[in-house]
Amino acid sequence: MELIPYFHVLVGILIFIVGFIFHWVGQLISVLNWDYATRIGLQEKRMLPEFKVYEHAIAVADVSIGWIYGIVAIGLILDLPWAFKLAWIPGVILVYHSLSYWFWIGNQNKLGHNTNTERFRIIWFFSNFITGILAIAIAW
């Protein structure tokens, strides 16, 4: 029983937007056509070549696992019991994404290679972190 009515729908929508659309679809575009992804703002224009190697590897990893975001999101929205059991997967991955992004961009900034604004860094961190924590909470 949920303390907040339709909490599973809210979490499903967040996972769909943050996890499936922003991560999976965005990274799929990056894997298929990096130049196009850069042109439309999915990848940073000022990225150093040695950072691009890492970012491309992360894009491939995100695409290989991120499809589960969409499945879990739809399952939660439809209130299917198995989705609650699987919600911990996108939850943990999104918390990981938030923390790794926070420190990855912070370390780039310390090196003097600012590719994102501090405002974007904060928004992206919190959108991933909050969505991840809510997904873990609903799986609990």
Side-chain angles (χ1 to χ4, degrees):
M1 175 181 255
E2 294 176 327
L3 295 174
I4 302 169
Y6 301 105
F7 183 59
H8 62 284
V9 174
L10 171 67
V11 174
I13 291 169
L14 283 172
I15 292 171
F16 190 79
I17 293 169
V18 175
F20 188 73
I21 293 175
F22 289 159
H23 279 285
W24 192 77
V25 172
Q27 294 290 49
L28 180 62
I29 293 168
S30 297
V31 168
L32 295 175
N33 190 333
W34 191 272
D35 293 333
Y36 178 69
T38 302
R39 198 168 42 251
I40 64 172
L42 296 176
Q43 297 297 335
E44 294 82 11
K45 289 180 171 85
R46 300 181 314 253
M47 187 182 308
L48 294 175
E50 55 269 27
F51 291 169
K52 182 182 174 187
V53 172
Y54 173 78
E55 291 286 347
H56 185 267
I58 293 301
V60 171
D62 286 349
V63 168
S64 65
I65 191 69
W67 54 269
I68 199 161
Y69 299 144
I71 292 170
V72 171
I74 290 167
L76 288 173
I77 291 167
L78 296 176
D79 199 19
L80 300 173
W82 55 262
F84 292 84
K85 295 175 179 146
L86 288 180
W88 70 271
I89 297 171
V92 170
I93 295 171
L94 288 168
V95 169
Y96 165 81
H97 274 304
S98 69
L99 294 171
S100 64
Y101 177 80
W102 181 263
F103 289 102
W104 172 241
I105 297 302
N107 288 337
Q108 286 183 41
N109 292 345
K110 286 178 189 172
L111 292 172
H113 303 290
N114 300 354
T115 56
N116 290 312
T117 65
E118 191 63 18
R119 180 179 180 186
F120 183 81
R121 179 181 179 214
I122 292 167
I123 291 168
W124 189 245
F125 167 80
F126 278 114
S127 66
N128 282 270
F129 189 78
I130 290 167
T131 302
I133 292 298
L134 293 176
I136 292 168
I138 206 153
W140 194 274

